[in-house]
Amino acid sequence: MEETKKKTSANKKIAKNLVIVESPAKAKTLERFLGDDYKVLSSYGHIRDLKKHDFSVDLKNFEPKYEIPKEKEDVVRSLRTAAKKADTVWLASDEDREGEAISWHLAQVLNLPVEDTRRIVFHEITKTAILDAIKHPRHIDLNLVNAQQARRVLDRIVGFTLSPVLWRKLKPNLSAGRVQSVAVRLIVERERDIEAFKSESSYRITAVFTSGTTELKAELNQRFATEEEAHQFLESCKNRQFCISDITKKPVRRVPAPPFTTSTLQQEAARKLGFTVSQTMSVAQRLYEAGIITYMRTDSVNLSSLCLNSSHKEIVEHLGEKYAKRRQYQTHSKGAQEAHEAIRPTYMDRREIDATTAERRLYDLIWKRTLASQMADAELEKTTITIPAGKAAFVATAEVVTFDGFLHVYRESFDDEQETDTQTDTGTIDATLAVGQQLDYKEILATQRFSQGPLRYNEASLVHKLEELGIGRPSTYATIISTVQQRGYVERGDKKGKKQAYTLLTLKPQKDVKRAEKSEIVGNEKGKLLPTDIGTVVNDFLVKYFPAIVDYNFTANTEKEFDEIAEGKENWQQMMDDFYQELAPLCDKVLNQRESSHVGERTLGTDPQGRTVTVKIGRFGPVVQIGTATDDEKPRFAQLGKGQSIQSITLDEALELFRLPRTLGQYEDSDVIIGAGRFGPYVMHQKKYVSLPKGTDPLQITLDEAIALIEEHRKADAQKHLKQFAEEPELEIINGRFGPYLTYKGENYRIPKTVKDATTLTSAECLEIIKAQAGKAKGRSRSRK
């Protein structure tokens, strides 16, 4: 009896306070720090949103029309029940705009008074931070909510207003996004910059000098434009006396990078760990929700005094006082938002964590970067030796670390380090070398080098560019990059390098200058963001007809307006109205405009019969077309092959695609034919069609590969058609996505759950099931009347 009373008392305590967070992992961590008086539940993200396939915005006042998705109904039901039992409800979603909106939606759906409901926020999920937040609750910040609503509604206006224009003018099922379209434009323009780049050659002169057993590598501080000039210089060096004219030594200091923001974490994790942007955010989210790191969506480089003190203690204890230097960094990113802390470990004395490999690797990166930011500068000594050579001079440089400082823990990486025209470190320098010392040359090389064009973006460098332009925010970078790939406008892939020939001139003592033709592979790129044909055509269309939507400054200024709304300085509905009043008439104008040719169409020439050959985006992707709709003969179409592009395909390559249909041979005494149709390339055998898998080249597929596809299709077909009846040819048992069902005279009927094995049904039993369901349908029809 006493035990029952205790249990009842405990249940009452648990129901006293209800804390709602957005994820189960976060709920689990919070429960560790709060006592029995608190029950922690998760909303599993947003509990309300705009309808998926509906505009859901009232254009009179731009009020959004929200709905509770079907998959969230059970969650909402349990939260409502818990909220009614609790004395106090605490909303503890993340403290950015998205988190504020989640809290507001919860208040609306759970009928909590917005002005009185307790809202708590924290940068980190630690006992100290949580208890402090409970002591200092605030109200829901409607300005932050409005900023989130403004972004959501504006994106919906752009999507639902522009997309129909793309459907009509380009291709069905295309979509346009406000920030995503700008990201695609960056990638398309970079690709065009690369295509337009004209490489220039020059000759780089390097030498190896000797003095006794000492070797010294040096580079000439001048390059030559032609082989003739480089050859003349090497000839002039044959009998030249080389002597050191100057040795300078100067101290160099290197300072550590600031602690991580969202974008710098995404960039460094890509370079050092090979993580994608979305992978980094997913792993960081798990670390945050487990209470291991601070909030991972931030553009601040600020560190709390608690972190500064614990970092200082950690450095002094393990490395000594000389390695410690307290620093506080300032945020300089364009349009920085919300005064969060930088991303850091919650406890600096926790060097290792018990977690997955990906979580351990990312945590190690964050821990080292945070610690290094509070360490002393690295001290180096840079030595420069000058060796005159006529009007130019050879220069040898070397840097020696005299005190490693923060480098003891961490070295920052950079994107695509490549050869530049600046002087590079040429190795170590012997301390015995002195001014006036005579040197012999071991060899002098003149190597033809080519200027490098701009590099394609990878995910990390695109995030850096977006941040630099003030486009997007820490919470949106990963979404932007994943969305443009999901829509098929951009793909992540590799670009194979090309073989490039170059000339090498070599001078050795007592020998003539030797000339050699060499080759190397240049331009090999991995994991880059490449525009697809559809992405390029959509971008060109938007740039031509909707320049403001894809204008970099316009998009950055829109972000600033969201910031103004978040600070209560601008009315969000007025901003929506101003935007819509400009966009809607422009869409109408473009829709009613007649094009002289298909948008994105490129004319390649004519075929041997004199018919026009064009390439364009068709209903099912990029296609080559022979002929026009006005010709007597119907136009012919062929889809582009793998690796082919609308921008670069030639007339000969296009005509090659029309070698289909082609007969591969025979199987079961029938021809196996490869053809191309409206839905792409296919195998035809015994009047049955099988689509070729995506990426399969119809001109390269072999007979064996085609037979394998035919057999695979037959197997799948057999699994689908479970049973047929000779006495009832129109009756069949089919295996569908959701299990077996009956089909009879063009109508489908479900099989009752009481039937365990559908294949055991007789035709009579099937007809009884059909009769029963048809009877119910008639009854419903009469009751409606």
Side-chain angles (χ1 to χ4, degrees):
M1 188 74 175
E2 191 64 35
E3 196 175 322
T4 307
K5 281 182 183 177
K6 282 181 182 177
K7 282 183 180 177
T8 307
S9 173
N11 286 338
K12 282 180 181 175
K13 279 187 176 181
I14 290 169
K16 199 172 180 182
N17 290 279
L18 173 65
V19 180
I20 305 176
V21 296
E22 63 270 79
S23 82
K26 189 174 172 182
K28 193 175 178 182
T29 308
L30 253 69
E31 277 185 329
R32 297 207 315 259
F33 305 130
L34 299 170
D36 289 344
D37 282 344
Y38 292 86
K39 181 176 185 176
V40 187
L41 293 178
S42 168
S43 69
Y44 295 85
H46 278 279
I47 57 163
R48 283 201 314 184
D49 200 0
L50 301 173
K51 293 178 182 177
K52 275 188 179 178
H53 305 294
D54 188 74
F55 190 29
S56 295
V57 176
D58 187 340
L59 290 174
K60 290 176 185 174
N61 55 14
F62 295 94
E63 280 293 332
K65 299 171 186 174
Y66 294 112
E67 69 165 2
I68 298 168
K70 199 164 188 178
E71 64 271 18
K72 287 297 178 75
E73 287 175 357
D74 288 343
V75 174
V76 169
R77 202 174 293 115
S78 64
L79 289 175
R80 277 178 175 154
T81 303
K84 283 177 185 175
K85 291 179 181 176
D87 294 343
T88 307
V89 177
W90 307 75
L91 302 177
S93 50
D94 293 340
E95 68 168 315
D96 56 11
R97 296 169 191 174
E98 209 66 36
E100 205 70 22
I102 289 173
S103 282
W104 179 75
H105 283 294
L106 282 166
Q108 296 284 310
V109 171
L110 303 180
N111 295 318
L112 305 172
V114 173
E115 61 279 0
D116 296 329
T117 300
R118 300 188 184 194
R119 171 88 171 101
I120 54 172
V121 294
F122 30 83
H123 296 302
E124 60 187 27
I125 306 176
T126 60
K127 188 168 186 176
T128 306
I130 303 307
L131 296 180
D132 185 63
I134 294 281
K135 283 180 189 174
H136 305 99
R138 62 170 173 81
H139 301 306
I140 292 170
D141 188 333
L142 291 176
N143 290 328
L144 291 180
V145 174
N146 288 337
Q148 188 273 347
Q149 286 196 114
R151 181 188 293 278
R152 192 80 183 86
V153 170
L154 189 65
D155 288 345
R156 180 58 65 102
I157 289 171
V158 171
F160 271 71
T161 311
L162 270 186
S163 297
V165 180
L166 296 178
W167 302 342
R168 177 90 65 86
K169 295 290 182 178
L170 295 178
K171 176 181 175 287
N173 299 321
L174 293 177
S175 59
R178 183 180 56 83
V179 181
Q180 292 89 338
S181 297
V182 176
V184 173
R185 182 181 180 182
L186 280 168
I187 293 163
V188 170
E189 289 186 347
R190 176 58 60 90
E191 196 69 25
R192 289 198 170 131
D193 288 344
I194 292 167
E195 289 167 3
F197 181 78
K198 303 295 181 190
S199 184
E200 294 180 356
S201 83
S202 62
Y203 284 79
R204 177 190 183 203
I205 313 296
T206 56
V208 179
F209 295 102
T210 60
S211 178
T213 57
T214 300
E215 279 195 357
L216 180 68
K217 294 177 182 177
E219 182 177 341
L220 197 71
N221 59 5
Q222 176 186 341
R223 289 201 179 186
F224 298 105
T226 65
E227 181 183 342
E228 186 182 359
E229 290 174 322
H231 193 278
Q232 284 176 0
F233 176 78
L234 262 59
E235 285 289 345
S236 72
C237 291
K238 271 186 177 180
N239 302 311
R240 190 186 296 278
Q241 294 294 311
F242 292 101
C243 172
I244 297 173
S245 65
D246 184 53
I247 299 178
T248 59
K249 294 186 178 185
K250 66 174 184 179
V252 176
R253 299 180 82 87
R254 287 189 190 160
V255 296
F260 283 128
T261 62
T262 302
S263 69
T264 54
L265 177 64
Q266 289 168 344
Q267 291 165 56
E268 196 74 338
R271 299 182 197 116
K272 277 188 158 61
L273 308 179
F275 285 7
T276 63
V277 167
S278 57
Q279 184 183 4
T280 298
M281 293 312 291
S282 175
V283 174
Q285 176 106 21
R286 294 200 297 271
L287 291 174
Y288 165 68
E289 290 174 346
I292 294 169
I293 64 169
T294 53
Y295 192 52
M296 66 287 156
R297 293 189 185 95
T298 175
D299 44 25
S300 172
V301 288
N302 182 50
L303 292 174
S304 67
S305 56
L306 178 70
C307 177
L308 295 176
N309 293 334
S310 59
S311 296
H312 184 84
K313 183 183 176 188
E314 189 73 14
I315 295 161
V316 171
E317 278 184 6
H318 291 90
L319 297 171
E321 189 70 48
K322 66 177 182 176
Y323 275 93
K325 183 176 180 179
R326 189 182 292 258
R327 304 170 192 267
Q328 192 59 279
Y329 295 87
Q330 297 298 315
T331 301
H332 298 295
S333 66
K334 195 173 178 181
Q337 161 199 317
E338 279 120 26
H340 295 152
E341 246 194 286
I343 302 168
R344 63 164 177 84
T346 49
Y347 300 104
M348 287 305 298
D349 58 356
R350 180 160 51 187
R351 291 189 163 217
E352 294 180 355
I353 58 169
D354 182 18
T356 66
T357 302
E359 289 165 358
R360 285 201 306 271
R361 293 178 73 203
L362 191 66
Y363 178 78
D364 184 61
L365 194 68
I366 294 166
W367 185 86
K368 285 178 177 175
R369 175 85 163 220
T370 308
L371 198 74
S373 75
Q374 299 305 307
M375 290 177 69
D377 294 350
E379 296 172 13
L380 302 91
E381 183 181 73
K382 184 177 182 179
T383 304
T384 304
I385 294 182
T386 306
I387 306 155
K391 292 180 180 179
F394 284 98
V395 178
T397 61
E399 286 184 344
V400 178
V401 176
T402 55
F403 173 62
D404 56 1
F406 75 91
L407 294 175
H408 191 87
V409 171
Y410 185 84
R411 288 175 188 266
E412 189 179 12
S413 299
F414 298 94
D415 280 321
D416 299 302
E417 288 141 338
Q418 60 175 348
E419 181 192 318
T420 66
D421 288 337
T422 57
Q423 204 72 37
T424 54
D425 189 287
T426 49
T428 57
I429 290 178
D430 195 304
T432 61
L433 294 172
V435 173
Q437 190 166 340
Q438 296 290 318
L439 299 173
D440 298 319
Y441 69 86
K442 184 177 179 181
E443 69 173 8
I444 302 175
L445 304 176
T447 310
Q448 187 181 19
R449 298 285 82 188
F450 296 87
S451 55
Q452 300 294 308
L455 293 163
R456 291 176 176 87
Y457 291 109
N458 56 26
E459 290 192 357
S461 59
L462 182 62
V463 166
H464 179 70
K465 186 65 178 177
L466 290 169
E467 184 182 39
E468 186 184 285
L469 293 170
I471 295 167
R473 287 295 181 260
S475 58
T476 62
Y477 296 137
T479 307
I480 292 166
I481 288 170
S482 62
T483 301
V484 296
Q485 292 179 72
Q486 286 164 8
R487 287 180 176 170
Y489 295 162
V490 171
E491 57 189 14
R492 190 167 179 261
D494 303 336
K495 274 284 181 182
K496 284 188 178 179
K498 294 179 180 177
K499 194 174 183 180
Q500 185 168 291
Y502 69 94
T503 303
L504 177 67
L505 306 177
T506 306
L507 174 66
K508 293 195 174 184
Q510 285 86 47
K511 291 189 178 179
D512 290 332
V513 175
K514 185 180 175 184
R515 183 182 189 278
E517 287 290 336
K518 302 274 187 179
S519 67
E520 60 187 345
I521 302 296
V522 296
N524 194 30
E525 296 184 272
K526 290 191 172 183
K528 295 302 174 105
L529 297 174
L530 311 169
T532 62
D533 279 333
I534 291 174
T536 302
V537 170
V538 168
N539 172 73
D540 292 349
F541 180 81
L542 292 176
V543 169
K544 182 177 179 181
Y545 295 107
F546 300 93
I549 295 293
V550 287
D551 179 77
Y552 302 134
N553 289 326
F554 168 79
T555 309
N557 289 333
T558 302
E559 295 291 349
K560 286 180 185 174
E561 286 193 77
F562 292 148
D563 295 343
E564 296 277 303
I565 293 165
E567 292 167 18
K569 295 176 182 176
E570 185 171 344
N571 181 286
W572 77 272
Q573 284 153 315
Q574 185 59 52
M575 178 194 172
M576 298 301 104
D577 188 54
D578 293 343
F579 180 83
Y580 185 72
Q581 294 309 325
E582 285 188 32
L583 181 62
L586 186 56
C587 285
D588 290 339
K589 181 184 172 184
V590 174
L591 275 171
N592 295 321
Q593 203 166 309
R594 295 193 68 179
E595 305 292 335
S596 57
S597 64
H598 189 280
V599 176
E601 186 174 273
R602 181 171 159 247
T603 302
L604 302 179
T606 56
D607 73 348
Q609 285 73 45
R611 302 184 77 193
T612 303
V613 180
T614 55
V615 61
K616 64 181 183 181
I617 297 294
R619 190 175 178 83
F620 302 101
V623 294
V624 176
Q625 178 177 328
I626 295 181
T628 64
T630 57
D631 291 350
D632 294 335
E633 191 180 336
K634 277 179 70 177
R636 294 172 63 204
F637 298 91
Q639 288 199 318
L640 268 62
K642 189 177 180 182
Q644 291 182 322
S645 162
I646 283 180
Q647 312 299 317
S648 58
I649 191 170
T650 64
L651 177 62
D652 288 342
E653 288 169 341
L655 293 175
E656 184 73 10
L657 297 172
F658 289 90
R659 280 170 45 195
L660 299 177
R662 55 188 276 256
T663 302
L664 299 181
Q666 285 208 327
Y667 178 55
E668 298 173 343
D669 299 324
S670 297
D671 286 342
V672 177
I673 298 167
I674 304 296
R678 289 175 61 209
F679 304 101
Y682 58 81
V683 180
M684 186 181 76
H685 180 250
Q686 294 177 349
K687 294 185 180 180
K688 290 192 175 181
Y689 298 85
V690 182
S691 292
L692 293 190
K694 192 176 180 182
T696 303
D697 189 340
L699 297 175
Q700 299 294 325
I701 189 170
T702 63
L703 177 61
D704 288 342
E705 289 169 335
I707 291 169
L709 288 174
I710 292 164
E711 288 298 334
E712 198 177 302
H713 182 72
R714 283 178 179 174
K715 189 177 177 184
D717 215 37
Q719 289 172 345
K720 182 181 177 183
H721 299 276
L722 294 179
K723 193 172 184 180
Q724 293 169 315
F725 302 91
E727 63 274 25
E728 285 286 352
E730 291 183 276
L731 175 65
E732 192 175 356
I733 301 174
I734 301 286
N735 192 17
R737 280 177 63 200
F738 305 105
Y741 64 90
L742 300 175
T743 178
Y744 184 59
K745 295 184 177 179
E747 296 289 336
N748 296 336
Y749 302 89
R750 61 182 179 80
I751 295 172
K753 290 179 181 177
T754 51
V755 177
K756 300 301 179 188
D757 184 358
T759 58
T760 62
L761 289 169
T762 63
S763 61
E765 287 170 332
C766 289
L767 291 172
E768 279 297 318
I769 291 169
I770 291 166
K771 186 179 176 183
Q773 289 182 30
K776 284 181 185 177
K778 282 180 183 177
R780 284 195 297 270
S781 176
R782 280 195 297 272
S783 66
R784 279 198 295 269
K785 288 177 184 177

